Amino acid sequence: NAGVTQTPKFQVLKTGQSMTLQCAQDMNHNSMYWYRQDPGMGLRLIYYSASEGTTDKGEVPNGYNVSRLNKREFSLRLESAAPSQTSVYFCASPGHLTQSEAFFGQGTRLTVV
Amino acid sequence: GENVEQHPSTLSVQEGDSAVIKCTYSDSASNYFPWYKQELGKRPQLIIDIRSNVGEKKDQRIAVTLNKTAKHFSLHITETQPEDSAVYFCAARMEYGNKLVFGAGTILRVKS
């Protein structure tokens, strides 16, 4: 039982390149989230998915797209990376009503040069 | 949408003293309020949470209080230890499956 698995752990992109961050959870949770963390800015919600087949924008969705491929997987795509997207990205998945805490993936440190 | 404000941004306490971190939220429909601890270079980890039908919850040295009328909730750490040094985040969520919005975080330093 790995919880939330996120890949890659590190990535360096050139401006304009694209990439997809992968996230998978093995807890049979309905909801999944993508956050970015910048110094002094806390965790800002990019997109979330309340259930398979649904996605919604969070606080900072511009420049990102997401796909809820199935119940387990929720990917985040940067179509044309910009230096402003340099950040640490976290995927998270909360439990059910009786266990609502969000479990976080290990994080992806992305640098756009 | 929900907005969560957290204070202070940094907090230094002497080992053994208490630490209090406060958060306010904007959406009165929020009903779930977790607290996370994040050590340097690691992922956030849940340390305690509270739901809107409860006013206070305690787990050993950690407690959380909730005032729904005033829309604020607080984290209390008693008998602080150096290993409590970390960044602490509060969060609020309207209902299951909805957005989980975080505060900006508090850097807690416990001096020995």
Side-chain angles (χ1 to χ4, degrees):
Chain A
N1 186 346
V4 179
T5 304
Q6 186 181 335
T7 58
K9 196 170 183 180
F10 300 97
Q11 184 72 49
V12 178
L13 290 178
K14 293 182 179 178
T15 298
Q17 286 186 317
S18 61
M19 78 161 294
T20 300
L21 281 67
Q22 306 286 353
C23 178
Q25 50 93 9
D26 61 3
M27 299 172 286
N28 201 36
H29 291 169
N30 287 319
S31 297
M32 297 183 76
Y33 302 132
W34 275 106
Y35 291 92
R36 60 177 289 173
Q37 185 172 33
D38 304 296
M41 300 290 288
L43 291 150
R44 292 186 293 171
L45 183 63
I46 304 171
Y47 271 93
Y48 69 105
S49 171
S51 62
E52 182 180 356
T54 68
T55 60
D56 287 284
K57 295 179 180 179
E59 303 166 86
V60 288
N62 291 344
Y64 305 95
N65 285 302
V66 291
S67 294
R68 185 71 185 270
L69 305 170
N70 47 55
K71 194 172 186 179
R72 287 189 66 248
E73 298 171 295
F74 187 38
S75 61
L76 178 71
R77 183 160 178 84
L78 287 70
E79 290 291 351
S80 179
S84 60
Q85 294 179 303
T86 294
S87 188
V88 178
Y89 292 84
F90 285 101
C91 175
S93 180
H96 300 291
L97 284 173
T98 57
Q99 192 179 0
S100 298
E101 65 270 24
F103 296 91
F104 280 82
Q106 64 182 0
T108 297
R109 186 172 294 275
L110 174 67
T111 302
V112 183
V113 298
Chain B
E2 178 65 277
N3 182 50
V4 178
E5 294 191 358
Q6 183 173 346
H7 301 280
S9 55
T10 60
L11 179 60
S12 290
V13 299
Q14 204 65 36
E15 182 178 359
D17 287 349
S18 294
V20 180
I21 302 171
K22 298 182 179 181
C23 289
T24 60
Y25 60 98
S26 60
D27 194 330
S28 57
S30 291
N31 60 5
Y32 174 65
F33 308 93
W35 285 89
Y36 288 82
K37 176 183 180 181
Q38 186 179 30
E39 296 175 341
L40 190 64
K42 297 189 177 180
R43 73 189 82 183
Q45 298 269 10
L46 180 78
I47 55 171
I48 195 167
D49 58 8
I50 192 167
R51 290 176 175 79
S52 60
N53 58 347
V54 176
E56 183 174 359
K57 184 177 178 181
K58 190 173 181 180
D59 183 4
Q60 299 182 340
R61 297 186 297 110
I62 294 173
V64 58
T65 58
L66 171 65
N67 183 328
K68 281 223 78 179
T69 303
K71 291 191 284 186
H72 66 71
F73 56 113
S74 301
L75 177 72
H76 304 254
I77 305 174
T78 58
E79 300 171 23
T80 54
Q81 301 166 3
E83 51 264 38
D84 293 331
S85 296
V87 181
Y88 291 81
F89 293 97
C90 63
R93 191 178 72 203
M94 193 162 64
E95 60 186 32
Y96 174 70
N98 213 310
K99 292 189 284 189
L100 182 65
V101 179
F102 284 81
T106 297
I107 300 172
L108 174 63
R109 296 190 184 94
V110 180
K111 298 174 286 185
S112 55

